[in-house]
Amino acid sequence: GQQVMQIPQYQHVQEGEDFTTYCNSSTTLSNIQWYKQRPGGHPVFLIQLVKSGEVKKQKRLTFQFGEAKKNSSLHITATQTTDVGTYFCAESSGTYKYIFGTGTRLKVLA
Amino acid sequence: NAGVTQTPKFQVLKTGQSMTLQCAQDMNHEYMSWYRQDPGMGLRLIHYSVGAGITDQGEVPNGYNVSRSTTEDFPLRLLSAAPSQTSVYFCASSSGQGKSPLHFGNGTRLTVT
């Protein structure tokens, strides 16, 4: 069945340091989505990747989809305290079942 | 736009009690789903619906029932609450098949004692 593994589970960084979270699947994904959940909040959609090798940027955030479409990463350059939260990847394999990774909780130390 | 509205925000139940978590969306989305979120477990899909009258099971459906009589509403029923169902529940909707963003409600924090 659909399954995505996400690492690391937790990450503490000093403000200004970079951060990366990874999402891996044993099967080829049709697409991957990334969400951010602030503490006490609900997940909010960030971006979707569809094409092999795709790279998208949103300000300090860079999203990549692997060439084999089995992995993805989210990289934040020069973290800020506003980046605190849990980042999730999600995949649906083109079906209606959106399956989420376990998430990476980011803490930024000022 | 209200988006996805969940009620209640908080609920405490005793073991064996039943209740319904409400979810409504005003975006005319065909797809709706329920997730539970537990520490270290991420978001796990309970049930989902691709349209009125159509529901299907997700990853962790046991102990929960759903129905979809209208496009707007997708209630989640706990028939006999158990402490293992203590969790935060999120309802989400989207407009398309598997490649549209999910829009989440604010969540319901449920405690079963």
Side-chain angles (χ1 to χ4, degrees):
Chain A
Q2 299 164 264
Q3 190 172 15
V4 286
M5 306 300 294
Q6 196 170 348
I7 55 171
Q9 189 173 3
Y10 300 98
Q11 186 81 57
H12 293 180
V13 299
Q14 289 291 136
E15 188 174 20
E17 291 182 338
D18 292 355
F19 159 78
T20 305
T21 175
Y22 301 89
C23 206
N24 298 299
S25 172
S26 58
T27 60
T28 301
L29 305 171
S30 66
N31 63 299
I32 195 96
Q33 297 179 345
W34 285 93
Y35 293 79
K36 176 183 178 180
Q37 183 180 25
R38 295 183 185 275
H42 59 275
V44 175
F45 174 78
L46 293 176
I47 209 158
Q48 174 172 263
L49 305 172
V50 178
K51 299 177 182 177
S52 168
E54 189 170 15
V55 178
K56 288 188 176 180
K57 293 189 176 184
Q58 289 180 349
K59 297 183 179 178
R60 295 178 294 104
L61 277 62
T62 301
F63 303 84
Q64 292 189 336
F65 203 5
E67 293 289 342
K69 299 182 74 174
K70 289 186 176 182
N71 57 74
S72 181
S73 65
L74 158 59
H75 179 83
I76 302 178
T77 303
T79 54
Q80 299 176 359
T81 54
T82 53
D83 295 324
V84 164
T86 302
Y87 293 84
F88 293 98
C89 61
E91 66 93 12
S92 66
S93 294
T95 71
Y96 285 103
K97 293 177 69 172
Y98 292 76
I99 303 299
F100 281 73
T102 50
T104 296
R105 181 179 295 180
L106 172 65
K107 187 170 183 177
V108 179
L109 307 173
Chain B
N1 266 350
V4 180
T5 302
Q6 287 184 241
T7 57
K9 290 185 179 180
F10 302 94
Q11 183 71 49
V12 179
L13 291 178
K14 294 185 178 179
T15 297
Q17 287 185 317
S18 63
M19 81 158 295
T20 299
L21 307 185
Q22 301 292 344
C23 177
Q25 53 92 9
D26 62 359
M27 297 174 283
N28 201 33
H29 284 171
E30 289 296 320
Y31 177 87
M32 297 185 74
S33 54
W34 278 101
Y35 289 86
R36 60 177 290 172
Q37 184 172 32
D38 305 293
M41 301 293 289
L43 293 155
R44 292 184 291 170
L45 181 63
I46 303 172
H47 285 286
Y48 65 99
S49 169
V50 302
I54 305 170
T55 63
D56 206 345
Q57 296 182 347
E59 302 170 280
V60 289
N62 293 340
Y64 307 94
N65 282 349
V66 292
S67 60
R68 185 92 181 271
S69 57
T70 67
T71 299
E72 294 77 19
D73 299 299
F74 191 44
L76 178 71
R77 297 184 185 85
L78 285 70
L79 298 179
S80 180
S84 61
Q85 293 178 306
T86 293
S87 188
V88 179
Y89 292 85
F90 288 100
C91 179
S93 72
S94 81
S95 60
Q97 180 182 358
K99 290 187 178 181
S100 299
L102 285 172
H103 299 260
F104 283 83
N106 288 335
T108 295
R109 185 174 295 275
L110 175 68
T111 302
V112 183
T113 62

